[in-house]
């Protein structure tokens, strides 16, 4: 079981910033920007590449949740969503999650 599943199940107390039927969001423990929020589906999908057509609605809902969370943090006009897929791409927790980054200039290309 991943640490994120334990957070979903409330086994690990975490300040939940947003929750609906499909996902929860909370601050990253090691923030890379003034706003660094993780948005994770309640369904256990280890990584994006293991999602399929049955997850289309869920994946859309994660992005819509990101919009709402960005708006809640007054940063709807300037934020970045990152999904690291696979260890070589920087994924360290194998429960699908979106990083929402904001609050500082975000350069391109990313590292
Ligand atoms: P990844 O590297 O898989 O794309 O992102 C995993 C993120 O989860 C990292 O940014 C890391 O700081 C964060 N993280 C790991 N463990 C915990 C935890 O127990 N609580 C919180 N809030 N964030 C965590």
């Amino acid at each position: 079981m991943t640490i994120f599943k334990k957070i979903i199940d409330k086994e690990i107390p975490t300040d939940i910033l947003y929750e609906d039927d499909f996902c929860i969001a909370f601050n990253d423990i090691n923030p890379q920007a003034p706003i660094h929020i993780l948005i994770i589906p309640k369904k256990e999908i280890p990584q994006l590449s293991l999602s399929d057509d049955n997850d289309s609605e869920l994946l859309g809902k994660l992005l819509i949740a990101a919009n709402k969370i960005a708006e809640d943090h007054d940063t709807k006009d300037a934020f970045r969503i990152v999904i690291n897929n696979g260890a070589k791409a920087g994924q360290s927790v194998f429960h699908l999650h979106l990083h929402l980054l904001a609050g500082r200039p975000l350069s391109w290309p990313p590292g």
Side-chain angles (χ1 to χ4, degrees):
M1 182 188 286
T2 67
I3 192 97
F4 288 177
K5 177 64 175 158
K6 290 181 181 169
I7 290 173
I8 291 166
D9 290 344
K10 313 275 188 326
E11 285 177 30
I12 297 176
T14 304
D15 284 340
I16 304 297
L17 302 175
Y18 175 88
E19 179 165 12
D20 62 24
D21 289 345
F22 299 91
C23 69
I24 65 169
F26 49 88
N27 284 318
D28 195 293
I29 203 169
N30 182 23
Q32 302 302 311
I35 297 171
H36 186 172
I37 296 169
L38 300 173
I39 304 162
I40 70 176
K42 291 181 176 176
K43 178 180 176 182
E44 286 184 278
I45 302 172
Q47 61 191 70
L48 181 64
S49 58
L50 294 175
S51 62
D52 60 30
D53 286 349
N54 295 319
D55 299 311
S56 301
E57 183 183 5
L58 174 61
L59 294 176
K61 285 182 179 291
L62 293 174
L63 290 173
I64 299 303
N67 274 341
K68 292 177 185 166
I69 294 163
E71 187 162 26
D72 286 348
H73 289 76
D74 296 322
T75 191
K76 198 168 179 182
D77 290 337
F79 65 91
R80 180 174 294 171
I81 297 297
V82 173
I83 298 174
N84 296 322
N85 181 80
K88 288 181 187 163
Q91 186 175 3
S92 59
V93 178
F94 285 82
H95 180 120
L96 174 64
H97 51 280
L98 279 60
H99 297 257
L100 189 161
L101 298 154
R104 65 167 169 81
L106 296 163
S107 61
W108 194 263

